[in-house]
Amino acid sequence: MTKHSSTLRETIEEMIAMGELQPGQHLDETELATRFGVSRTPIRETLIQLESMGLVVIRPRRGAIVAELGPQQLVEMFEVMSELEATCGRLAARRMTPEEQHVLLAAHEACKAAVEAGEPDEYYYRNEAFHEAIYAGSHNSFLFEQTRGLYRRLRPYRRLQLRVRNRIGHSYSEHEGVVQAILAGDGDKAAELLRSHVMIQGQRFSDLMASLPQLTKSAA
């Protein structure tokens, strides 16, 4: 993969992850080629790469669309996400350096500022930095890449969750417990709290399902 094609893939991946390209939206190769000032060939190659990541579905004779996740797929992916994050937390509690703990605390404080400002989108970005600090603190590069990859796949849905009433306040409170467990070196507690923090079930699942039309309303 050339540097240019890698950049193109990352750019379109980011547009999908942040909802600029909506689930179910048709991806017109000519329009994308014009937008990025390239030929259709690198666009087609990029869409194939994104299909292999589960972000795009390429349909014979009908072109590509942004992948949509059904309720069962979402539950299954969040289930795996919760276990990956739990493992990251368990390892981070054992392996984080003092410098990495400072990074985690700074990310936690940035989340607090976003909560106090009542800014769910800002909180989303700070929340991502918070979780990545834990992934990095696991000191397991394979786990880091796998967890971050699934996080990116679920970004539109995790972002949507934060728009549910009072969710960012609850999320920050859950972060506080995670931070304290990691700083105390309690890997089992950190894992338990992260698993619960990420998993969607019960009311949280119902809230997410009710919010999904907001994510797809412009895709029609």
Side-chain angles (χ1 to χ4, degrees), residues 25-46:
Q25 181 174 339
H26 177 64
L27 298 172
D28 185 274
E29 291 181 8
T30 302
E31 289 180 4
L32 289 172
T34 300
R35 179 171 187 164
F36 293 108
V38 298
S39 70
R40 290 178 61 183
T41 298
I43 294 294
R44 189 175 299 117
E45 292 172 349
T46 296

Side-chain angles (χ1 to χ4, degrees), residues 78-119:
F78 270 101
E79 187 173 57
V80 173
M81 188 79 230
S82 69
E83 293 300 327
L84 288 173
E85 293 228 17
T87 302
C88 286
R90 180 180 290 107
L91 294 177
R94 288 164 36 195
R95 298 175 178 177
M96 260 191 173
T97 65
E99 291 78 13
E100 288 169 332
Q101 290 177 350
H102 285 308
V103 170
L104 179 64
L105 286 168
H108 187 44
E109 284 300 310
C111 286
K112 181 180 180 181
V115 171
E116 292 174 345
E119 293 287 349

Side-chain angles (χ1 to χ4, degrees), residues 65-172:
I65 62 170
V66 178
E68 297 180 87
L69 295 180
Q72 185 61 33
Q73 285 178 293
L74 273 174
V75 169
E76 291 173 354
M77 291 175 77
F78 270 101
E79 187 173 57
V80 173
M81 188 79 230
S82 69
E83 293 300 327
L84 288 173
E85 293 228 17
T87 302
C88 286
R90 180 180 290 107
L91 294 177
R94 288 164 36 195
R95 298 175 178 177
M96 260 191 173
T97 65
E99 291 78 13
E100 288 169 332
Q101 290 177 350
H102 285 308
V103 170
L104 179 64
L105 286 168
H108 187 44
E109 284 300 310
C111 286
K112 181 180 180 181
V115 171
E116 292 174 345
E119 293 287 349
D121 285 341
E122 181 66 18
Y123 182 86
Y124 171 80
Y125 293 115
R126 303 309 175 190
N127 175 67
E128 186 170 16
F130 175 84
H131 284 271
E132 285 217 358
I134 296 173
Y135 307 163
S138 73
H139 289 243
N140 184 313
S141 58
F142 179 77
L143 178 63
F144 177 89
E145 291 301 329
Q146 295 300 310
T147 308
R148 185 172 62 174
L150 186 53
Y151 187 106
R152 291 182 68 84
R153 182 67 183 88
L154 289 170
R155 277 172 103 185
Y157 305 95
R158 293 185 75 150
R159 190 178 193 185
L160 194 62
Q161 278 188 294
L162 294 175
R163 296 178 183 272
V164 173
R165 185 180 178 185
N166 298 326
R167 178 55 197 158
I168 62 173
H170 290 311
S171 175
Y172 175 78

